[in-house]
Amino acid sequence: MNTFRVIVFAVLYCATCLCDLDVSSCEVATRTEQGLVCGRRRKATNGEDYASFRGIPYAKQPLGRLRFKELRPAEPFHGVFNATETGPICPQVDIFFGPLMAPRSMGEDCIRINIHVPYQFFPDVRTGSTKQLLPVFFWIHGGSLNYGSGDPDFYGPEYLMTKDIILVTINYRLNVFGFLSLGNKYIPGNNGIRDCIAALKWVQKNIRNFGGDPDRVTLAGQSAGGVLAHMISVSPASKGLFKQVAALSGQSAYGMFSYSRKYASIVNAIFFIAIGINPLQPPKKVHDDLVAAPLERLLYGQKAILDVLGVVAFVPIIETPQPSFTTVLPKEPEELVNEGAGKEYPTIIGLCSNEGIILYPRLKEVHMAEKLKMMPALTLPLSLLMAANLETIPVLTTIQLAKYFNYTNITLIKFLNSVTDLSYTYPAQRLARKRLATGAAKTYFYQFNYKSKKHPLKLRFNMTYPGAAHLEDITYFFRLNAFLGPQTKLNELAHSDDDSRMKDWMTTMISNFVINGSPAVNESDWPPCQEDLRYQHIEKPFKYNFTTLTPYMKDNIKYCNRLFKIALGV
Ligand SMILES: *[C@@H]1O[C@H](CO)[C@@H](O)[C@H](O)[C@H]1NC(C)=O
Ligand SMILES: *[C@@H]1O[C@H](CO)[C@@H](O)[C@H](O)[C@H]1NC(C)=O
Ligand SMILES: *[C@@H]1O[C@H](CO)[C@@H](O)[C@H](O)[C@H]1NC(C)=O
Ligand SMILES: *[C@@H]1O[C@H](CO)[C@@H](O)[C@H](O)[C@H]1NC(C)=O
Ligand SMILES: *[C@@H]1O[C@H](CO)[C@@H](O)[C@H](O)[C@H]1NC(C)=O
Ligand SMILES: *[C@@H]1O[C@H](CO)[C@@H](O)[C@H](O)[C@H]1NC(C)=O
């Protein structure tokens, strides 16, 4: 225990006493810069209490004229803010889980942060007792930048609250609200990224009052959340806000998304036709029309894009700096990585062995196999396709068809295998290599390959498949409350003892990283990445298997290097 911290905290406590307003009816309360917040005590899976604060605004809500603006600072609360329940989720069309989840309130006043603290570490502002400050796990949710929220229905804190860490989850503007880019001073794009940075800044200012250590923040996310976490870590706009990074099944160098103006113009074209606003009007008029448009109309445009493209619509964009917006992405993330951006952060990169298969139900629904048969070039990753020299595309397509589809036999499953290899596995390995080349801080790498027979996702989608799908790894440290139902002894992922042990292991692994900067207690079990890219193969609970690349992975790296070389000449 660090004595200096205790003293700092004691001083802070005196400055934040709660004597002025009545919080006696609150189970737990503390102060933020905006005023007092009232939370609840809830139960972790080990039966211990945690303090839970939900739906706290971390900025002024982007309503009306603020719709496409960078967030403004939060306004003071009137009285005590009731943070016992979650706030609204951001406007979205949840093509994946929406139909499976309980209806939730949705609105543009969704700029909210949730903070969960093991109760024994919560600073008791009434008795004035001071505690050890805990490291903070700051989580950015996934959902293709289209849907999702930081709410505990999907990111249940019940497992992580058995460890000595604080969990922070956030909402950020999604889809058209967060990522529409007109490339001008009215709507430059990337607001969703700026929102996450605003939330990180809020944590710096307020987390001490929740018992958190602002100097030990781990910036983390999965899928699109992993892309954002990693992108923020290489952004010039995020210095000093966190100490390390976890990018799980998503990172920002060549992978899932194309950050090009070319891609944005395709998406924008579909969008503007669908919503009936003329994009060729003067930019200010286009902006004003978009601000005046009802929420439902914008979401209708969003849905129109997804009907064509399947899963991905608006994404981040390489910015040209604009006067009233913080520039967060000045270059391709890979260029930033090559220049050494983010190299100071220890980083864990995670993958699942069968990432792509999660897309199966959705892509079947939008008849993706038929679309691919008509436009086989689309079997290539969008990031590659958009970056490639045009004349190379027929060659790239032929190579890709030969490798995955025996030239003509395009099936969804084969396509999804190529998505796993080309859009997840290879880019993650490439990032690890690039970090090594810049002399970066430790990089830890895992591939999750645990095969649960009765994983809640498998049950919900009625699917069987080899390996572990996208999302499965994190459901062993976030309780999937929406699917598992309320906690009982029977449903704690305890379809089998192994599931339950895997939950214990993954929860320990990620909290080890948050606490110590290393996922394993014994570094010999899981050393950081070296040139040969050996990684932790997670297949059995509590069994370390630090292993060399499989022949399949080696072939895949060669194959992808070849595609990149042809496409980009690098
Ligand atoms: C806070 O909100 C919850 C749910 O909306 C309500 O049940 C509770 O009474 C409120 N608490 C206070 C102190 O206002
Ligand atoms: C590939 O297609 C050819 C004919 O088009 C067929 O003879 C061959 O068996 C196929 N190979 C595989 C691996 O399916
Ligand atoms: C196409 O692939 C499927 C699945 O791998 C296989 O069953 C089928 O025989 C293949 N057809 C041809 C013509 O290669
Ligand atoms: C689940 O899939 C199996 C085989 O694919 C099928 O027989 C069964 O009817 C499906 N069940 C549901 C509830 O859809
Ligand atoms: C760490 O691992 C090494 C090699 O497997 C072993 O010899 C050592 O006992 C381990 N240390 C601890 C503390 O588990
Ligand atoms: C270790 O991982 C490799 C995959 O790289 C796998 O082939 C092997 O069976 C694993 N070993 C054990 C003991 O689980």
Side-chain angles (χ1 to χ4, degrees):
M1 176 73 203
N2 182 330
T3 325
F4 177 70
R5 278 209 195 100
V6 176
I7 295 168
V8 169
F9 191 79
V11 171
L12 273 166
Y13 161 70
C14 292
T16 60
C17 100
L18 298 180
C19 33
D20 51 345
L21 272 165
D22 184 21
V23 288
S24 55
S25 62
C26 293
E27 292 176 355
V28 281
T30 192
R31 183 180 288 283
T32 67
E33 284 201 333
Q34 298 127 275
L36 299 173
V37 289
C38 172
R40 268 192 62 187
R41 286 170 72 156
R42 296 172 187 264
K43 287 262 181 267
T45 40
N46 61 356
E48 299 286 330
D49 278 9
Y50 67 97
S52 190
F53 294 84
R54 303 179 172 193
I56 302 176
Y58 61 84
K60 186 171 173 171
Q61 301 302 333
L63 303 175
R65 298 288 303 170
L66 299 182
R67 183 178 265 174
F68 293 106
K69 297 270 191 288
E70 182 161 349
L71 293 175
R72 312 274 159 91
E75 292 170 326
F77 303 132
H78 304 290
V80 180
F81 184 84
N82 185 349
T84 57
E85 301 298 334
T86 53
I89 62 172
C90 291
Q92 58 187 263
V93 188
D94 184 346
I95 48 173
F96 272 92
F97 301 113
L100 305 176
M101 315 246 305
R104 293 160 294 171
S105 78
M106 185 167 95
E108 283 175 85
D109 53 341
C110 62
I111 299 305
R112 310 286 177 142
I113 192 163
N114 309 305
I115 299 140
H116 312 288
V117 187
Y119 186 72
Q120 55 160 323
F121 291 96
F122 189 74
D124 189 331
V125 277
R126 277 168 280 212
T127 65
S129 77
T130 55
K131 311 260 167 84
Q132 174 193 354
L133 293 181
L134 296 184
V136 178
F137 189 41
F138 180 99
W139 182 257
I140 303 179
H141 72 79
S144 325
L145 308 172
N146 282 317
Y147 61 91
S149 80
D151 286 355
D153 51 357
F154 218 80
Y155 301 100
E158 290 82 359
Y159 306 152
L160 287 169
M161 288 299 99
T162 65
K163 304 291 180 186
D164 298 350
I165 64 172
I166 286 182
L167 171 65
V168 171
T169 67
I170 60 161
N171 297 345
Y172 52 94
R173 278 175 285 178
L174 301 166
N175 55 64
V176 46
F177 301 93
F179 295 96
L180 170 68
S181 167
L182 303 182
N184 60 32
K185 66 175 178 177
Y186 299 103
I187 309 185
N190 294 348
N191 275 335
I193 307 173
R194 290 186 197 93
D195 293 357
C196 298
I197 295 175
L200 282 162
K201 288 183 175 161
W202 190 97
V203 164
Q204 284 299 308
K205 290 186 185 140
N206 293 288
I207 205 68
R208 266 197 196 89
N209 290 350
F210 295 83
D213 185 347
D215 292 330
R216 285 194 297 161
V217 175
T218 297
L219 171 61
Q222 182 264 358
S223 192
V227 172
L228 291 180
H230 177 253
M231 187 176 275
I232 290 166
S233 78
V234 299
S235 167
S238 69
K239 291 276 169 283
L241 301 178
F242 48 89
K243 276 290 175 321
Q244 46 179 24
V245 178
L248 311 182
S249 299
Q251 49 76 40
S252 69
Y254 291 104
M256 288 186 254
F257 304 136
S258 164
Y259 315 118
S260 62
R261 176 66 35 213
K262 208 196 280 182
Y263 172 77
S265 55
I266 296 171
V267 171
N268 289 1
I270 306 171
F271 178 72
F272 281 111
I273 290 171
I275 63 171
I277 290 177
N278 175 6
L280 303 176
Q281 305 173 96
K284 180 165 189 320
K285 179 75 169 70
V286 176
H287 168 264
D288 292 351
D289 284 359
L290 285 167
V291 165
L295 180 81
E296 296 72 23
R297 185 139 147 247
L298 298 186
L299 288 182
Y300 175 80
Q302 173 74 16
K303 189 166 172 304
I305 303 167
L306 294 175
D307 287 344
V308 178
L309 298 182
V311 180
V312 175
F314 297 105
V315 303
I317 189 145
I318 311 296
E319 287 168 73
T320 36
Q322 300 295 347
S324 336
F325 291 85
T326 309
T327 303
V328 290
L329 189 62
K331 296 181 191 173
E332 277 291 343
E334 184 165 290
E335 264 181 72
L336 294 166
V337 172
N338 289 343
E339 291 169 5
K343 73 177 203 178
E344 65 270 45
Y345 307 119
T347 296
I348 185 164
I349 298 175
L351 287 173
C352 293
S353 56
N354 196 352
E355 300 272 8
I357 197 70
I358 188 97
L359 299 171
Y360 187 84
R362 168 66 186 169
L363 293 187
K364 192 152 189 272
E365 183 182 63
V366 298
H367 307 291
M368 194 50 124
E370 284 67 35
K371 289 179 184 162
L372 294 173
K373 279 173 198 160
M374 287 192 301
M375 284 182 283
L378 292 180
T379 60
L380 292 162
L382 265 183
S383 56
L384 192 72
L385 209 51
M386 292 290 150
N389 299 319
L390 265 187
E391 65 276 12
T392 65
I393 290 175
V395 181
L396 294 169
T397 306
T398 306
I399 298 174
Q400 169 78 347
L401 288 176
K403 159 112 182 182
Y404 283 97
F405 307 100
N406 196 11
Y407 293 99
T408 53
N409 193 2
I410 295 179
T411 67
L412 205 43
I413 295 285
K414 291 178 185 176
F415 171 61
L416 294 174
N417 286 338
S418 87
V419 168
T420 301
D421 297 346
L422 275 53
S423 294
Y424 291 95
T425 312
Y426 173 75
Q429 291 163 335
R430 184 176 165 106
L431 172 64
R433 277 238 165 99
K434 301 252 160 188
R435 279 177 59 83
L436 284 170
T438 61
K442 291 173 183 177
T443 306
Y444 294 95
F445 206 117
Y446 74 78
Q447 191 199 54
F448 187 78
N449 189 34
Y450 173 64
K451 298 162 205 86
S452 166
K453 286 194 186 61
K454 296 199 169 164
H455 192 275
L457 287 171
K458 280 185 176 151
L459 296 180
R460 277 304 181 110
F461 287 115
N462 191 25
M463 284 170 75
T464 56
Y465 45 78
H470 198 57
L471 262 181
E472 285 196 41
D473 55 344
I474 68 164
T475 63
Y476 293 91
F477 55 82
F478 287 116
R479 190 172 189 279
L480 201 46
N481 286 311
F483 293 2
L484 293 172
Q487 288 184 67
T488 67
K489 282 214 165 58
L490 287 176
N491 67 5
E492 280 321 306
L493 268 176
H495 303 296
S496 73
D497 286 351
D498 265 4
D499 284 8
S500 181
R501 281 157 45 79
M502 185 49 92
K503 171 205 75 183
D504 291 341
W505 198 41
M506 289 298 280
T507 305
T508 303
M509 182 280 283
I510 202 71
S511 53
N512 279 346
F513 181 69
V514 174
I515 296 166
N516 306 317
S518 163
V521 173
N522 192 341
E523 182 148 296
S524 66
D525 290 328
W526 189 340
C529 253
Q530 298 296 330
E531 199 46 44
D532 64 5
L533 295 183
R534 269 188 290 168
Y535 66 100
Q536 193 64 241
H537 182 87
I538 301 181
E539 186 159 355
K540 298 191 185 80
F542 295 96
K543 287 273 187 309
Y544 287 100
N545 180 6
F546 190 69
T547 178
T548 49
L549 295 183
T550 60
Y552 185 89
M553 285 177 178
K554 285 184 184 159
D555 282 351
N556 184 51
I557 290 177
K558 275 193 203 129
Y559 174 71
C560 293
N561 280 342
R562 185 172 167 224
L563 289 183
F564 270 82
K565 203 166 167 81
I566 296 171
L568 314 175
V570 289

